[in-house]
């Protein structure tokens, strides 16, 4: 089954390379925000026609202030929320989002977690009656010139309590015309190797570095395969874990032209056009 899934992912990635015309709205750019939520992850994609995807929510209510800056004050609806895995530094903020935003759909792995944060997440989904889908590698999305595909995990995690929740994260590859980016959750080097062995890793313009720059992720082989122009690290200022780790920064310096960090720069916004991109940082 994993071989079949890998073949489907490869076929989809091949199709992603075919050019297509983005729908124009405003300046025609898609906005990709790496939000500053402290020691955690929260990433927002806002297409030119305002289809909005939130990937993770960070560790607390800080995500609400960040979304208020990124979106109009009257915009309180998200088309899709992706919960990559169940650790609180990615999930707790999503509970706040569910309380304050209308969410049309949620993607999860189906893995379970023995925490109040996770139980609250399930309770809110049930209370709000939000359609929720468990996803595996090969799941695709296409909307308004944006294409996305899940490239990990390969095995179903429904009902499973992973020994290491980081290993159970949803990794997604995105393309908007010629510009590509990879969002890696907190996956570790073992999962990177699986993706490399399955042949689903591609060079990208933008790479969100896994696990806040932890030394357990971002192997030399994975960075060489992705060869990002820009590497983005979401980490808290003066965090207790020492993220990003010096060894990761050293490896990144060999494979990436630019390293951007939320702990140094605050939120980072990419404006992605059909054939180019720019970025700015700060509140």
């Amino acid at each position: 089954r994993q071989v079949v899934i890998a073949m489907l992912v490869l076929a989809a990635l091949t199709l992603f390379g075919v050019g297509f015309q983005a729908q124009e709205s405003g300046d025609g750019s898609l906005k990709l925000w790496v939000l500053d939520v402290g020691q955690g992850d929260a990433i927002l994609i806002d297409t030119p026609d305002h289809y909005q995807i939130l990937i993770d929510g960070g560790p607390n209510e800080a995500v609400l202030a960040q979304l208020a800056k990124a979106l109009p004050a009257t915009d309180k609806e998200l088309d899709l929320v992706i919960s990559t895995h169940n650790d609180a530094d990615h999930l707790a903020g999503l509970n706040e989002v569910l309380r304050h935003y209308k969410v049309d759909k949620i993607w999860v792995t189906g893995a379970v977690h023995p925490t109040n944060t996770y139980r609250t997440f399930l309770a809110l989904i049930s209370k709000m009656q939000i359609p929720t889908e468990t996803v595996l590698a090969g799941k695709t999305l296409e909307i308004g010139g944006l294409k996305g595909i899940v490239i990990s995990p390969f095995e179903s995690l429904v009902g499973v309590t992973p020994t290491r929740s980081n290993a159970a994260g949803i990794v997604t590859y995105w393309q908007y015309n010629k510009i590509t980016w990879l969002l890696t959750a907190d996956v570790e080097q073992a999962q990177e190797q699986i993706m490399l062995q399955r042949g689903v890793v591609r060079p990208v313009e933008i790479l969100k570095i896994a696990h806040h720059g932890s030394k357990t992720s971002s192997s030399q082989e994975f960075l060489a395969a992705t060869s990002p122009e820009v590497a983005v690290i979401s980490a808290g200022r003066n965090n207790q874990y020492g993220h990003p780790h010096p060894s990761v920064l050293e490896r990144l310096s060999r494979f990436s032209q630019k390293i951007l960090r939320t702990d140094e720069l605050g939120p980072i916004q990419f404006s992605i056009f059909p054939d180019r991109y720019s970025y700015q940082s700060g509140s």
Side-chain angles (χ1 to χ4, degrees):
R1 181 180 177 183
Q2 291 184 39
V3 172
V4 172
I5 291 173
M7 292 174 65
L8 291 172
V9 174
L10 286 169
L13 286 168
T14 301
L15 291 174
F16 276 25
V18 178
F20 52 92
Q21 182 60 46
Q23 297 180 14
E24 296 294 331
S25 177
D27 66 0
S29 72
L30 174 147
K31 304 299 183 186
L32 170 64
W33 291 83
V34 181
L35 302 174
D36 181 15
V37 292
Q39 184 63 15
D41 269 16
I43 298 166
L44 176 69
I45 299 172
D46 187 5
T47 73
D49 51 349
H50 301 301
Y51 187 95
Q52 291 152 354
I53 304 166
L54 179 66
I55 300 99
D56 291 331
N60 51 43
E61 69 279 358
V63 65
L64 299 178
Q66 292 286 293
L67 288 173
K69 294 175 182 178
L71 300 174
T74 56
D75 190 345
K76 296 296 182 184
E77 182 172 359
L78 296 167
D79 296 278
L80 174 64
V81 162
I82 301 175
S83 174
T84 64
H85 65 296
N86 296 321
D87 281 355
D89 61 332
H90 293 243
L91 184 63
L94 287 184
N95 289 342
E96 298 302 320
V97 169
L98 296 187
R99 292 183 176 109
H100 292 87
Y101 283 77
K102 181 180 184 298
V103 173
D104 295 338
K105 190 171 186 178
I106 297 177
W107 285 3
V108 297
T109 64
V112 298
H113 204 51
T115 62
N116 287 333
T117 298
Y118 173 72
R119 286 188 283 270
T120 298
F121 182 60
L122 295 184
L124 287 167
I125 290 173
S126 177
K127 178 181 178 180
M128 307 297 182
Q129 298 183 328
I130 304 170
T132 302
E133 183 176 357
T134 57
V135 297
L136 285 174
K139 174 64 180 180
T140 60
L141 172 72
E142 182 174 352
I143 188 77
L146 172 70
K147 292 183 177 182
I149 183 169
V150 176
I151 65 170
S152 185
F154 281 86
E155 294 182 343
S156 173
L157 295 164
V158 175
V160 174
T161 303
T163 303
R164 296 180 64 84
S165 58
N166 289 338
I170 296 173
V171 178
T172 48
Y173 172 94
W174 302 89
Q175 180 170 353
Y176 184 68
N177 276 346
K178 296 181 180 180
I179 308 302
T180 57
W181 60 98
L182 184 62
L183 306 180
T184 54
D186 277 1
V187 294
E188 299 176 340
Q189 293 187 21
Q191 289 69 53
E192 293 173 356
Q193 286 300 314
I194 291 171
M195 288 184 281
L196 289 168
Q197 291 165 9
R198 296 285 191 266
V200 299
V201 181
R202 297 285 189 274
V204 291
E205 277 72 34
I206 303 163
L207 173 65
K208 200 287 295 186
I209 296 301
H211 200 188
H212 324 293
S214 167
K215 64 181 179 180
T216 60
S217 307
S218 303
S219 66
Q220 179 169 307
E221 295 81 3
F222 190 77
L223 294 179
T226 53
S227 187
E229 292 180 4
V230 178
V232 186
I233 300 172
S234 179
R237 293 167 185 80
N238 303 312
N239 66 83
Q240 62 179 315
Y241 307 102
H243 295 159
H245 195 273
S247 64
V248 173
L249 294 175
E250 191 278 328
R251 285 198 295 273
L252 278 174
S253 69
R254 288 185 270 133
F255 294 104
S256 182
Q257 300 172 23
K258 189 74 176 178
I259 302 171
L260 306 177
R261 298 166 48 174
T262 61
D263 61 325
E264 295 180 339
L265 301 172
I268 300 162
Q269 182 206 82
F270 292 88
S271 296
I272 301 177
F273 297 88
D275 58 355
R276 61 185 174 87
Y277 67 91
S278 61
Y279 61 84
Q280 61 185 20
S281 62
S283 56

